[in-house]
Amino acid sequence: MKRTKAKNTNSPWIRRIAVVAACLLAGGMVLAAYLLMGPNTRSFGDKKYFYVPTGSSYQDVLKGLQEQDIVRSVSTFNLVARRLDYPTRVKAGRYEIKKGMGNLEIVRILRSGRQSPVKLVINKLRLKEDFIRLVSTNLEADSVAMRAILEDPVHLRQFGLDTNTVMCAIVPNTYEFYWNTSAGKVFTKLEDAYEAFWNDERRAKASALGLKPTEVTTLASIVEEETNRHDEKPAIASVYLNRLRKGMKLGADPTVKYAMKNFTLRRIWGSYLEYDSPYNTYRYSGLPPGPICTPSSKSIDAVLTPADTEYLYFCARADGSGYHAFAATYKEHLENARAYQKALNARGVK
């Protein structure tokens, strides 16, 4: 009699268990891949900048990722980072992290040192402190180190500058720096831009006026403070150049404000005119020791290419237009000044 094999009733269960195990394994692999490679940024806008200070260790980076709210999971970042040997390749800088980036992409950016540069916009600055604050707010450069550079006569001498004229080296413009650029390299880059600005043509014009570039910049700083109207800057420049030629005191109101470090003054008169400072051009002849602000290129070029006038005086127009009334004689100037003073009194300006 032929014996038949017993049907294995357990095989469907075995297959089911195997399928479930495979699904769990596949799901686990997908989950692991998602955790490791999927989006790992916190909730922020389109992008955020992650700052890694100079001298940071890998542990500092992990701490920074948490404190700066960059990643959701530091542990999964750590797994990928160690796999790619990032802990031994930490580079300081400012890095752009886009929303939705995964660990792999973030690690690659940080490990390569692919920084996002900072655009440092320099407009009119009056004091060294203003410049130091601007730099230290936007870059890692130490404010103490920057101040030391601006006040080191030996260091500045190599650039043809001193502690009074040092701000001449700062030409208003937009500059790009890596965030971790040192104070010394910041100043060197600005000084290089200053040298490029003072090309042969500008230097020739300055020489024709009997002025050095720093003297042109100093005079241009006064012009800059006198008016926002670019079209009348050449006329104002002509007034001061005419006074210099005649040996007259410049008598520039903005120099008194600078000397007193009070830029809110509206009317310069009385005891203000006697304030004792080499920057007070009512008391001291010639140009002040250095610029009273960082003038724009338009103000510098206005001094280099002044209007051809015989003007020796000017004052603000009484109409409040922001323009000035010019005069070649003191008598005519007094008439213009009385009209302006009358207008100020009428408006209650003190």
Side-chain angles (χ1 to χ4, degrees):
M1 183 175 178
K2 195 172 182 181
R3 184 180 295 175
T4 59
K5 291 183 179 180
K7 190 174 182 181
N8 187 356
T9 58
N10 292 328
S11 61
W13 289 104
I14 293 174
R15 286 197 297 271
R16 290 190 185 105
I17 291 172
V19 169
V20 171
C23 289
L24 289 173
L25 179 62
M29 292 176 65
V30 170
L31 179 61
Y34 178 81
L35 291 174
L36 294 175
M37 307 301 178
N40 190 30
T41 58
R42 287 189 177 276
S43 178
F44 49 75
D46 293 336
K47 62 184 178 182
K48 192 170 184 178
Y49 294 105
F50 176 49
Y51 296 86
V52 180
T54 298
S56 292
S57 66
Y58 178 60
Q59 291 303 316
D60 293 328
V61 172
L62 295 181
K63 184 178 179 182
L65 289 170
Q66 290 181 306
E67 292 179 346
Q68 296 179 42
D69 291 325
I70 301 296
V71 299
R72 287 186 288 109
S73 171
V74 173
S75 58
T76 59
F77 172 89
N78 181 46
L79 288 173
V80 175
R82 291 188 178 281
R83 182 72 176 174
L84 296 178
D85 197 28
Y86 172 57
T88 64
R89 304 183 186 183
V90 173
K91 296 180 176 68
R94 170 184 183 259
Y95 300 95
E96 181 181 293
I97 308 300
K98 294 182 179 178
K99 184 179 181 180
M101 276 186 172
N103 291 315
L104 182 61
E105 191 173 4
I106 295 173
V107 171
R108 283 176 172 170
I109 289 174
L110 299 179
R111 189 182 68 168
S112 66
R114 194 165 70 245
Q115 291 194 55
S116 178
V118 176
K119 289 186 182 296
L120 187 68
V121 180
I122 299 179
N123 294 311
K124 182 171 72 175
L125 303 170
R126 291 190 174 102
L127 305 172
K128 293 176 186 177
E129 288 76 13
D130 298 331
F131 173 66
I132 293 170
R133 189 180 306 110
L134 177 69
V135 171
S136 61
T137 299
N138 291 278
L139 303 175
E140 187 186 32
D142 181 69
S143 60
V144 175
M146 182 58 73
R147 180 179 295 280
I149 289 171
L150 300 183
E151 296 181 353
D152 183 352
V154 177
H155 178 77
L156 297 176
R157 195 175 300 138
Q158 65 182 305
F159 304 113
L161 302 168
D162 58 38
T163 56
N164 289 314
T165 60
V166 61
M167 292 294 281
C168 291
I170 303 168
V171 180
N173 208 335
T174 298
Y175 300 87
E176 279 197 356
F177 293 95
Y178 286 124
W179 175 74
N180 58 321
T181 302
S182 68
K185 289 183 178 179
V186 168
F187 184 77
T188 298
K189 182 170 182 175
L190 292 174
E191 212 286 330
D192 287 343
Y194 167 78
E195 291 296 332
F197 176 83
W198 280 100
N199 54 31
D200 291 342
E201 181 182 359
R202 285 193 172 99
R203 288 182 182 276
K205 288 181 178 180
S207 180
L209 293 171
L211 300 174
K212 295 183 293 187
T214 52
E215 292 173 327
V216 171
T217 300
T218 297
L219 183 52
S221 71
I222 297 175
V223 174
E224 179 78 22
E225 290 282 55
E226 289 285 15
T227 183
N228 294 320
R229 310 295 185 181
H230 294 312
D231 55 340
E232 75 168 5
K233 286 181 177 180
I236 289 179
S238 75
V239 171
Y240 289 125
L241 287 168
N242 288 340
R243 288 185 181 181
L244 284 174
R245 293 189 189 102
K246 290 180 176 291
M248 296 174 60
K249 290 178 182 176
L250 295 183
D253 288 0
T255 65
V256 178
K257 294 181 183 181
Y258 182 88
M260 299 180 68
K261 301 297 185 288
N262 185 346
F263 303 104
T264 63
L265 293 175
R266 297 289 300 277
R267 301 176 73 170
I268 307 299
W269 60 344
S271 61
Y272 297 150
L273 303 179
E274 298 302 319
Y275 188 81
D276 192 13
S277 166
Y279 283 89
N280 183 354
T281 55
Y282 278 96
R283 288 202 62 172
Y284 294 90
S285 299
L287 292 166
I292 61 173
C293 72
T294 53
S296 66
S297 59
K298 288 185 180 296
S299 293
I300 293 174
D301 287 335
V303 173
L304 292 174
T305 312
D308 184 12
T309 76
E310 295 183 358
Y311 296 145
L312 291 173
Y313 308 95
F314 69 92
C315 73
R317 290 184 185 175
D319 59 9
S321 64
Y323 281 93
H324 293 80
F326 295 87
T329 67
Y330 188 62
K331 180 181 178 181
E332 184 182 0
H333 172 64
L334 285 178
E335 294 176 0
N336 294 333
R338 288 191 192 99
Y340 177 60
Q341 295 297 334
K342 183 178 180 180
L344 288 182
N345 291 334
R347 295 199 297 268
V349 177
K350 297 182 179 180

